[in-house]
Amino acid sequence: MRDSIGDKVFFGINAALLSLFALSCILPLVHLLALSLSDQSAIASGAVSFWPSGLTAMAYEKLASGTNIVRATLNSFEIMAVGTALNLLFTLLCAYPLSRNLMYGRRFFTLAIVFTMLFSGGMIPGFLLVKSLGLVNTYGALWFPGLVSVYNMLVLRTFFVGIPDELVEAARIDGCGEWRMLLRIFLPLSLPVFVALGLFYGVGHWNAFFNVMLFIHSPDKHNLAVLVQQMIQSQQLMQEIGNLSPEDFTSLTPVSIRSAGVIVMVLPMLVVYPFLQKYFLKGILIGAIKG
C-alpha cells in the first residue's frame, strides 16, 4: 500500500523534528570535544566551534597528571559495577515472587511497594537512617538505600506475569523448584528486559552526584561526576595542577581542561550504549506488555 501525501508530510515532519532533537544532543558534545583539543589562542578568539583549532591533547595530559581524575574514574566504575549488580539481583528477587500466583499476600506487598513511589521519608530522615547504620562515608550509602527501583521492578514483574503458565507447568512437571525455575526459565527469557534495567541502573550510578556529596566526605572516594562539578564551579582544578610552564600557559586554559573532564565522564556511556541498544529497545517494549 502506497503512502498518501499526508503520510509523507507527516513522516517528513517527524524526521525533521527528530533530526533537530538529535543534533541538539550531539552538537554540544562535539563542541566540548573541540574545545578540549584546541589551544588557548583559538579558544580565546572564539574560533572554535565544532572542529578543533590548534590541535593539542595537553588538556587530557594535565587532567591525568595534575588531578585526581584517575582515582575518581576508578571510583565511578566501582560504584557502578557493584551497585548495578546489587540492584539487578534484588530487583529480580523482588519481581519474581510478586509475579507468582502462589505467593500469599502478593497484592498487599505490591501495593505497599508502589506506595513508596508516592511518598518517602525525606532527605533528613534518610540521612539519619544511613548514619545510624554506619554507612556514612562508605559506598554502601549509595547502594543500599536505593537497592530496588520500584519502576524497574514493576517492569520486570510485568514481563514475568506474561510468561505462559503452560511453560511454568511443564517445568514443574520436570521437577523444577522455584530457584531452578527462576534461573533456568525466567532469567534467560527476560534477558532483554534485564539488560535494559541494568543500563538504567548503571547510568544512574555513573551519574550519581547528590548522594555522593551528601554521604561521601573523603575526597579520595569521590566519583567522576563530583570531580567534574568541582572543575566547572571553581578554580580548584587549576590550583591542583599548578606549576605550569610558560609553554603550557600558551596552549592550556581552564575551559579546555573542564571540557576534557566532561568528555572523559560521558565517553564510557557513549561507548557502551551502542552495544546494548538492541537489548534496550526490545527490553522496554517487552516489559511494557501486560500478560
Side-chain angles (χ1 to χ4, degrees):
M1 181 177 179
R2 299 180 60 183
D3 294 333
S4 64
I5 297 178
D7 292 335
K8 293 180 180 179
V9 172
F10 174 77
F11 290 125
I13 294 175
N14 277 344
L17 292 177
L18 290 175
S19 299
L20 290 175
F21 179 75
L23 288 175
S24 68
C25 297
I26 295 173
L27 291 181
L29 291 177
V30 175
H31 179 60
L32 287 175
L33 180 62
L35 288 175
S36 67
L37 295 173
S38 301
D39 61 18
Q40 180 183 11
S41 59
I43 296 175
S45 62
V48 181
S49 55
F50 303 111
W51 191 259
S53 179
L55 188 63
T56 176
M58 186 174 293
Y60 293 94
E61 296 174 4
K62 293 299 179 182
L63 193 63
S65 61
T67 69
N68 201 27
I69 194 168
V70 175
R71 179 72 261 175
T73 303
L74 294 177
N75 292 341
S76 292
F77 276 111
E78 181 182 352
I79 293 171
M80 180 182 67
V82 178
T84 303
L86 291 174
N87 289 143
L88 290 176
L89 174 62
F90 283 90
T91 300
L92 178 66
L93 296 178
C94 183
Y96 175 74
L98 292 178
S99 67
R100 301 295 89 206
N101 293 327
L102 298 177
M103 180 180 176
Y104 177 77
R106 68 168 186 157
R107 178 177 176 81
F108 167 78
F109 289 112
T110 301
L111 293 177
I113 293 173
V114 172
F115 181 82
T116 63
M117 297 180 66
L118 307 175
F119 303 96
S120 64
M123 182 177 66
I124 294 177
F127 179 83
L128 294 177
L129 175 62
V130 170
K131 183 178 179 180
S132 65
L133 294 175
L135 297 177
V136 174
N137 205 34
T138 68
Y139 291 149
L142 309 178
W143 297 328
F144 297 126
L147 203 55
V148 176
S149 167
V150 178
Y151 174 81
N152 292 343
M153 187 276 295
L154 291 177
V155 170
L156 188 59
R157 174 187 173 275
T158 301
F159 175 78
F160 285 164
V161 170
I163 293 178
D165 292 335
E166 292 79 7
L167 183 62
V168 177
E169 292 173 0
R172 293 193 186 280
I173 292 175
D174 291 337
C176 270
E178 294 298 337
W179 284 104
R180 190 175 181 183
M181 181 90 67
L182 174 62
L183 297 177
R184 293 294 187 91
I185 306 296
F186 283 78
L187 188 57
L189 290 175
S190 63
L191 181 61
V193 182
F194 212 61
V195 174
L197 299 185
L199 182 62
F200 285 154
Y201 282 127
V203 172
H205 284 297
W206 182 263
N207 294 329
F209 169 73
F210 181 76
N211 285 342
V212 177
M213 294 293 293
L214 184 63
F215 297 118
I216 308 299
H217 303 153
S218 299
D220 291 339
K221 294 183 178 181
H222 284 171
N223 62 347
L224 198 55
V226 173
L227 179 62
V228 171
Q229 186 272 343
Q230 292 173 349
M231 291 161 50
I232 295 174
Q233 296 294 331
S234 68
Q235 297 296 327
Q236 180 179 355
L237 176 65
M238 300 306 295
Q239 296 173 2
E240 290 179 354
I241 293 179
N243 300 322
L244 294 176
S245 65
E247 292 79 9
D248 293 336
F249 278 111
T250 61
S251 58
L252 192 62
T253 65
V255 174
S256 62
I257 297 179
R258 290 165 183 165
S259 301
V262 174
I263 293 298
V264 170
M265 179 178 174
V266 301
L267 185 61
M269 294 296 104
L270 292 178
V271 171
V272 169
Y273 181 76
F275 297 99
L276 301 180
Q277 183 179 10
K278 61 178 181 179
Y279 296 106
F280 173 76
L281 296 176
K282 184 178 179 181
I284 294 303
L285 291 176
I286 293 177
I289 298 175
K290 294 184 177 180

Coordinates of all heavy atoms in Angstrom, one line a residue, residues 126-192:
G126 N 16.2 10.2 55.9 CA 17.1 9.3 55.1 C 18.5 9.3 55.6 O 19.2 8.3 55.7
F127 N 19.0 10.6 55.7 CA 20.4 10.7 56.2 C 20.6 10.2 57.6 O 21.6 9.5 57.9 CB 20.8 12.2 56.1 CG 22.2 12.5 56.6 CD1 23.3 12.3 55.7 CD2 22.5 12.9 57.9 CE1 24.6 12.6 56.1 CE2 23.8 13.1 58.3 CZ 24.8 13.0 57.4
L128 N 19.7 10.4 58.5 CA 19.8 9.9 59.8 C 19.8 8.4 59.9 O 20.5 7.8 60.7 CB 18.6 10.5 60.7 CG 18.7 12.0 60.9 CD1 17.4 12.4 61.7 CD2 19.9 12.4 61.7
L129 N 19.0 7.8 59.0 CA 18.9 6.3 58.9 C 20.3 5.8 58.4 O 20.8 4.8 59.0 CB 17.8 5.9 58.0 CG 17.7 4.4 57.7 CD1 17.5 3.6 59.0 CD2 16.6 4.1 56.6
V130 N 20.8 6.4 57.4 CA 22.1 6.0 56.8 C 23.2 6.1 57.9 O 24.1 5.3 58.1 CB 22.4 6.7 55.5 CG1 23.9 6.5 55.1 CG2 21.5 6.4 54.4
K131 N 23.1 7.2 58.6 CA 24.1 7.5 59.7 C 24.0 6.5 60.8 O 25.0 6.0 61.3 CB 24.0 8.9 60.2 CG 25.0 9.3 61.2 CD 24.8 10.7 61.7 CE 25.8 11.1 62.8 NZ 25.7 12.5 63.2
S132 N 22.8 6.1 61.2 CA 22.6 5.2 62.3 C 23.1 3.8 61.9 O 23.4 3.0 62.7 CB 21.1 5.1 62.7 OG 20.3 4.6 61.6
L133 N 23.1 3.5 60.6 CA 23.5 2.2 60.1 C 25.0 2.2 59.9 O 25.6 1.1 59.5 CB 22.8 1.8 58.8 CG 21.3 1.6 58.8 CD1 20.8 1.3 57.5 CD2 21.0 0.4 59.7
G134 N 25.7 3.3 60.1 CA 27.2 3.4 60.0 C 27.6 3.3 58.5 O 28.7 2.9 58.2
L135 N 26.8 3.8 57.6 CA 27.1 3.8 56.2 C 27.7 5.1 55.7 O 28.0 5.2 54.5 CB 25.9 3.4 55.4 CG 25.3 2.0 55.6 CD1 24.1 1.8 54.8 CD2 26.4 0.9 55.4
V136 N 27.7 6.1 56.5 CA 28.2 7.4 56.0 C 29.7 7.3 55.7 O 30.5 6.6 56.4 CB 28.0 8.5 57.1 CG1 28.7 9.8 56.7 CG2 26.6 8.7 57.4
N137 N 30.1 7.9 54.6 CA 31.4 7.9 54.0 C 31.8 6.5 53.5 O 33.0 6.1 53.5 CB 32.5 8.4 55.1 CG 33.7 8.9 54.4 OD1 33.7 9.5 53.3 ND2 34.9 8.7 55.0
T138 N 30.8 5.7 53.2 CA 31.1 4.4 52.6 C 30.2 4.3 51.3 O 29.1 5.0 51.3 CB 30.8 3.2 53.5 OG1 29.4 3.1 53.7 CG2 31.5 3.3 54.8
Y139 N 30.5 3.5 50.4 CA 29.7 3.4 49.2 C 28.4 2.6 49.5 O 27.5 2.6 48.6 CB 30.5 2.6 48.1 CG 31.6 3.4 47.5 CD1 32.8 2.8 47.1 CD2 31.6 4.8 47.5 CE1 33.8 3.6 46.5 CE2 32.6 5.6 47.0 CZ 33.7 4.9 46.5 OH 34.8 5.7 46.0
G140 N 28.3 2.0 50.6 CA 27.0 1.4 51.0 C 25.9 2.4 51.1 O 24.8 2.0 50.8
A141 N 26.2 3.6 51.4 CA 25.2 4.7 51.5 C 24.7 5.0 50.1 O 23.6 5.6 50.0 CB 25.8 5.9 52.1
L142 N 25.4 4.7 49.0 CA 24.9 4.9 47.7 C 24.2 3.7 47.1 O 23.3 3.8 46.3 CB 26.1 5.2 46.7 CG 27.1 6.3 47.2 CD1 28.2 6.4 46.2 CD2 26.4 7.6 47.4
W143 N 24.5 2.5 47.6 CA 24.0 1.2 47.1 C 22.7 0.8 47.8 O 21.7 0.5 47.1 CB 25.0 0.1 47.2 CG 26.2 0.3 46.4 CD1 26.3 1.0 45.2 CD2 27.6 -0.1 46.7 NE1 27.6 1.0 44.8 CE2 28.4 0.3 45.7 CE3 28.1 -0.9 47.8 CZ2 29.8 0.0 45.6 CZ3 29.5 -1.2 47.7 CH2 30.3 -0.7 46.7
F144 N 22.7 0.8 49.1 CA 21.6 0.2 49.8 C 20.3 1.0 49.9 O 19.2 0.4 49.8 CB 22.1 -0.2 51.2 CG 23.2 -1.2 51.2 CD1 24.4 -1.0 51.9 CD2 23.1 -2.4 50.5 CE1 25.4 -1.9 51.9 CE2 24.1 -3.3 50.5 CZ 25.3 -3.1 51.2
P145 N 20.3 2.3 50.1 CA 19.0 3.0 50.2 C 18.2 2.9 48.9 O 16.9 2.9 49.0 CB 19.4 4.5 50.5 CG 20.8 4.4 51.1 CD 21.4 3.2 50.5
G146 N 18.8 2.8 47.8 CA 18.1 2.7 46.5 C 18.3 1.3 45.9 O 18.4 1.2 44.7
L147 N 18.2 0.3 46.7 CA 18.6 -1.1 46.2 C 17.7 -1.5 45.1 O 18.1 -2.2 44.2 CB 18.6 -2.0 47.4 CG 19.4 -3.3 47.3 CD1 20.9 -3.0 46.9 CD2 19.3 -4.1 48.5
V148 N 16.4 -1.2 45.2 CA 15.4 -1.6 44.3 C 14.6 -0.4 43.8 O 14.0 0.3 44.6 CB 14.4 -2.7 44.8 CG1 13.3 -3.0 43.8 CG2 15.1 -3.9 45.3
S149 N 14.6 -0.2 42.5 CA 13.8 0.8 41.9 C 12.4 0.2 41.7 O 12.3 -0.8 41.0 CB 14.4 1.3 40.6 OG 13.4 2.1 39.8
V150 N 11.4 0.9 42.2 CA 10.0 0.3 42.1 C 9.6 0.3 40.7 O 9.0 -0.7 40.2 CB 9.1 1.2 42.9 CG1 7.6 0.6 42.8 CG2 9.5 1.2 44.4
Y151 N 9.9 1.3 39.9 CA 9.5 1.3 38.5 C 10.2 0.1 37.7 O 9.5 -0.6 37.0 CB 9.9 2.6 37.8 CG 9.7 2.7 36.3 CD1 8.4 2.9 35.8 CD2 10.7 2.4 35.5 CE1 8.2 2.9 34.5 CE2 10.5 2.5 34.1 CZ 9.2 2.7 33.6 OH 9.0 2.7 32.2
N152 N 11.5 -0.1 37.9 CA 12.2 -1.1 37.2 C 11.6 -2.5 37.7 O 11.5 -3.4 36.9 CB 13.7 -1.0 37.5 CG 14.3 0.2 36.8 OD1 13.7 0.8 35.9 ND2 15.5 0.5 37.3
M153 N 11.3 -2.6 39.0 CA 10.8 -3.9 39.5 C 9.4 -4.2 38.9 O 9.2 -5.3 38.5 CB 10.7 -3.8 41.0 CG 10.3 -5.1 41.7 SD 8.5 -5.4 41.7 CE 7.9 -4.1 42.7
L154 N 8.6 -3.2 38.7 CA 7.3 -3.4 38.1 C 7.4 -3.8 36.6 O 6.6 -4.6 36.1 CB 6.4 -2.1 38.2 CG 6.0 -1.8 39.6 CD1 5.2 -0.5 39.6 CD2 5.2 -2.9 40.2
V155 N 8.4 -3.2 35.9 CA 8.6 -3.6 34.5 C 9.0 -5.1 34.4 O 8.5 -5.8 33.6 CB 9.7 -2.7 33.9 CG1 10.1 -3.3 32.5 CG2 9.2 -1.3 33.7
L156 N 9.9 -5.5 35.3 CA 10.3 -6.9 35.3 C 9.2 -7.8 35.7 O 9.0 -8.9 35.2 CB 11.6 -7.1 36.2 CG 12.3 -8.4 36.1 CD1 12.7 -8.8 34.7 CD2 13.4 -8.5 37.1
R157 N 8.5 -7.4 36.7 CA 7.3 -8.2 37.2 C 6.3 -8.3 36.1 O 5.7 -9.4 35.9 CB 6.7 -7.5 38.4 CG 5.4 -8.2 38.9 CD 4.8 -7.4 40.0 NE 3.4 -7.9 40.4 CZ 2.3 -7.6 39.7 NH1 2.3 -6.8 38.7 NH2 1.2 -8.2 40.1
T158 N 6.0 -7.3 35.4 CA 5.1 -7.3 34.3 C 5.5 -8.4 33.2 O 4.6 -9.1 32.7 CB 4.9 -6.0 33.6 OG1 4.4 -5.0 34.6 CG2 3.9 -6.0 32.5
F159 N 6.8 -8.4 32.9 CA 7.3 -9.4 32.0 C 7.1 -10.8 32.5 O 6.7 -11.7 31.8 CB 8.7 -9.1 31.6 CG 9.3 -10.2 30.7 CD1 9.1 -10.1 29.4 CD2 10.1 -11.2 31.2 CE1 9.6 -11.1 28.5 CE2 10.7 -12.1 30.4 CZ 10.4 -12.1 29.1
F160 N 7.4 -11.0 33.8 CA 7.3 -12.3 34.4 C 5.8 -12.8 34.3 O 5.5 -14.0 34.1 CB 7.8 -12.3 35.8 CG 9.3 -12.3 35.9 CD1 9.9 -12.0 37.1 CD2 10.1 -12.6 34.8 CE1 11.3 -12.0 37.2 CE2 11.5 -12.6 34.9 CZ 12.1 -12.3 36.1
V161 N 4.9 -11.9 34.6 CA 3.5 -12.2 34.6 C 3.0 -12.7 33.2 O 2.2 -13.6 33.0 CB 2.6 -11.0 35.0 CG1 1.1 -11.3 34.8 CG2 2.9 -10.8 36.5
G162 N 3.7 -12.2 32.2 CA 3.3 -12.5 30.8 C 3.9 -13.8 30.3 O 3.5 -14.3 29.2
I163 N 4.8 -14.5 31.1 CA 5.3 -15.8 30.7 C 4.2 -16.8 30.7 O 3.5 -16.9 31.8 CB 6.5 -16.2 31.6 CG1 7.7 -15.2 31.3 CG2 6.9 -17.6 31.3 CD1 8.9 -15.5 32.2
P164 N 3.9 -17.6 29.7 CA 2.8 -18.6 29.7 C 2.8 -19.5 30.8 O 3.9 -20.1 31.2 CB 3.0 -19.3 28.3 CG 3.8 -18.4 27.5 CD 4.7 -17.6 28.4
D165 N 1.7 -19.8 31.4 CA 1.5 -20.7 32.5 C 1.9 -22.1 32.1 O 2.3 -22.9 32.9 CB 0.1 -20.7 33.1 CG -0.2 -19.4 33.8 OD1 0.8 -18.7 34.2 OD2 -1.4 -19.0 33.9
E166 N 1.6 -22.4 30.8 CA 1.9 -23.8 30.3 C 3.4 -24.1 30.4 O 3.8 -25.2 30.7 CB 1.5 -23.9 28.8 CG 0.0 -23.9 28.6 CD -0.6 -22.5 28.7 OE1 0.3 -21.5 28.7 OE2 -1.8 -22.3 28.6
L167 N 4.3 -23.1 30.2 CA 5.7 -23.3 30.3 C 6.1 -23.5 31.7 O 7.0 -24.4 32.0 CB 6.4 -22.0 29.7 CG 8.0 -22.0 29.7 CD1 8.5 -23.2 28.8 CD2 8.5 -20.7 29.2
V168 N 5.5 -22.8 32.6 CA 5.8 -23.0 34.1 C 5.3 -24.4 34.5 O 6.0 -25.1 35.3 CB 5.1 -21.9 34.9 CG1 5.3 -22.1 36.4 CG2 5.6 -20.5 34.5
E169 N 4.1 -24.8 34.1 CA 3.6 -26.1 34.5 C 4.5 -27.2 33.9 O 4.7 -28.2 34.6 CB 2.2 -26.2 34.0 CG 1.2 -25.3 34.7 CD -0.2 -25.3 34.1 OE1 -0.4 -26.1 33.1 OE2 -1.1 -24.6 34.6
A170 N 5.0 -27.0 32.7 CA 5.8 -28.1 32.1 C 7.1 -28.2 32.9 O 7.6 -29.3 33.1 CB 6.1 -27.7 30.7
A171 N 7.6 -27.0 33.3 CA 8.9 -27.1 34.1 C 8.7 -27.7 35.5 O 9.5 -28.5 36.0 CB 9.4 -25.6 34.3
R172 N 7.5 -27.5 36.1 CA 7.2 -28.1 37.4 C 7.1 -29.6 37.2 O 7.5 -30.4 38.1 CB 5.9 -27.5 37.9 CG 6.1 -26.0 38.3 CD 4.9 -25.6 39.2 NE 5.0 -24.2 39.5 CZ 5.8 -23.6 40.4 NH1 6.6 -24.4 41.1 NH2 5.8 -22.3 40.6
I173 N 6.5 -30.1 36.1 CA 6.3 -31.5 35.9 C 7.7 -32.2 35.8 O 7.9 -33.3 36.2 CB 5.5 -31.8 34.6 CG1 4.0 -31.3 34.9 CG2 5.5 -33.2 34.2 CD1 3.1 -31.4 33.6
D174 N 8.6 -31.4 35.2 CA 10.0 -31.9 35.1 C 10.8 -31.8 36.3 O 12.0 -32.2 36.4 CB 10.8 -31.2 34.0 CG 10.2 -31.5 32.6 OD1 9.6 -32.6 32.4 OD2 10.4 -30.7 31.7
G175 N 10.2 -31.3 37.4 CA 10.8 -31.3 38.7 C 11.5 -30.0 39.0 O 12.4 -30.0 40.0
C176 N 11.2 -28.9 38.4 CA 11.9 -27.6 38.7 C 11.3 -27.1 40.0 O 10.1 -26.9 40.1 CB 11.6 -26.6 37.5 SG 12.9 -26.7 36.2
G177 N 12.2 -26.7 40.9 CA 11.9 -25.9 42.0 C 11.9 -24.4 41.7 O 12.1 -24.0 40.6
E178 N 11.6 -23.6 42.7 CA 11.5 -22.2 42.5 C 12.8 -21.6 42.0 O 12.9 -20.7 41.1 CB 11.0 -21.5 43.7 CG 9.6 -21.8 44.1 CD 8.5 -21.5 43.0 OE1 8.8 -20.6 42.2 OE2 7.5 -22.1 43.0
W179 N 13.9 -21.9 42.7 CA 15.2 -21.4 42.3 C 15.6 -21.8 40.9 O 16.1 -21.0 40.1 CB 16.3 -21.8 43.3 CG 16.2 -21.0 44.6 CD1 15.7 -21.5 45.8 CD2 16.6 -19.7 44.8 NE1 15.8 -20.5 46.7 CE2 16.3 -19.4 46.2 CE3 17.2 -18.7 44.0 CZ2 16.6 -18.1 46.7 CZ3 17.4 -17.4 44.6 CH2 17.1 -17.2 45.9
R180 N 15.4 -23.1 40.6 CA 15.8 -23.6 39.3 C 14.9 -22.9 38.2 O 15.3 -22.6 37.1 CB 15.7 -25.1 39.2 CG 16.3 -25.7 38.0 CD 16.3 -27.2 38.0 NE 16.9 -27.8 36.8 CZ 16.9 -29.1 36.6 NH1 16.5 -29.9 37.5 NH2 17.5 -29.5 35.5
M181 N 13.6 -22.8 38.6 CA 12.7 -22.1 37.7 C 13.1 -20.7 37.3 O 13.1 -20.2 36.2 CB 11.3 -22.1 38.3 CG 10.2 -21.5 37.4 SD 9.4 -22.6 36.4 CE 8.5 -23.6 37.6
L182 N 13.5 -20.0 38.4 CA 14.0 -18.6 38.2 C 15.2 -18.5 37.3 O 15.3 -17.7 36.4 CB 14.3 -18.0 39.6 CG 14.9 -16.6 39.6 CD1 13.9 -15.6 38.9 CD2 15.2 -16.1 41.0
L183 N 16.2 -19.4 37.6 CA 17.5 -19.3 36.9 C 17.5 -19.9 35.5 O 18.2 -19.5 34.6 CB 18.6 -20.0 37.8 CG 18.8 -19.4 39.1 CD1 19.9 -20.2 39.9 CD2 19.3 -17.9 39.0
R184 N 16.7 -21.0 35.3 CA 16.7 -21.7 34.0 C 15.6 -21.3 33.1 O 15.7 -21.4 31.9 CB 16.6 -23.2 34.3 CG 17.8 -23.8 35.0 CD 19.0 -23.8 34.1 NE 20.1 -24.5 34.7 CZ 20.3 -25.8 34.5 NH1 19.5 -26.5 33.7 NH2 21.4 -26.4 35.0
I185 N 14.5 -20.7 33.6 CA 13.3 -20.4 32.8 C 13.2 -18.9 32.7 O 13.2 -18.3 31.6 CB 12.0 -21.0 33.3 CG1 12.2 -22.6 33.4 CG2 10.9 -20.7 32.3 CD1 12.5 -23.3 32.1
F186 N 12.9 -18.2 33.8 CA 12.6 -16.8 33.8 C 13.7 -15.9 33.4 O 13.6 -15.0 32.7 CB 12.0 -16.4 35.2 CG 10.6 -16.9 35.4 CD1 10.3 -18.2 35.7 CD2 9.6 -16.0 35.3 CE1 9.0 -18.6 35.9 CE2 8.3 -16.4 35.5 CZ 8.0 -17.7 35.8
L187 N 14.9 -16.2 34.0 CA 16.1 -15.3 33.7 C 16.5 -15.3 32.3 O 16.7 -14.2 31.7 CB 17.2 -15.7 34.7 CG 18.4 -14.7 34.7 CD1 18.0 -13.3 35.0 CD2 19.5 -15.2 35.6
P188 N 16.7 -16.5 31.6 CA 17.0 -16.4 30.2 C 16.0 -15.8 29.3 O 16.3 -15.0 28.4 CB 17.2 -17.9 29.8 CG 17.5 -18.6 31.1 CD 16.7 -17.9 32.1
L189 N 14.7 -16.0 29.6 CA 13.7 -15.4 28.8 C 13.6 -13.8 29.0 O 13.2 -13.1 28.1 CB 12.3 -16.0 29.2 CG 12.1 -17.4 28.7 CD1 10.7 -17.9 29.3 CD2 12.1 -17.5 27.2
S190 N 14.0 -13.4 30.2 CA 14.0 -11.9 30.5 C 15.3 -11.2 30.2 O 15.4 -10.1 30.7 CB 13.6 -11.7 31.9 OG 14.6 -12.3 32.8
L191 N 16.2 -11.8 29.4 CA 17.5 -11.2 29.2 C 17.4 -9.8 28.6 O 18.1 -8.9 29.1 CB 18.4 -12.1 28.3 CG 19.8 -11.6 28.0 CD1 20.6 -11.4 29.3 CD2 20.5 -12.5 27.0
P192 N 16.6 -9.5 27.6 CA 16.5 -8.2 27.1 C 16.0 -7.1 28.1 O 16.6 -6.0 28.2 CB 15.5 -8.3 25.9 CG 15.5 -9.7 25.5 CD 15.8 -10.5 26.8

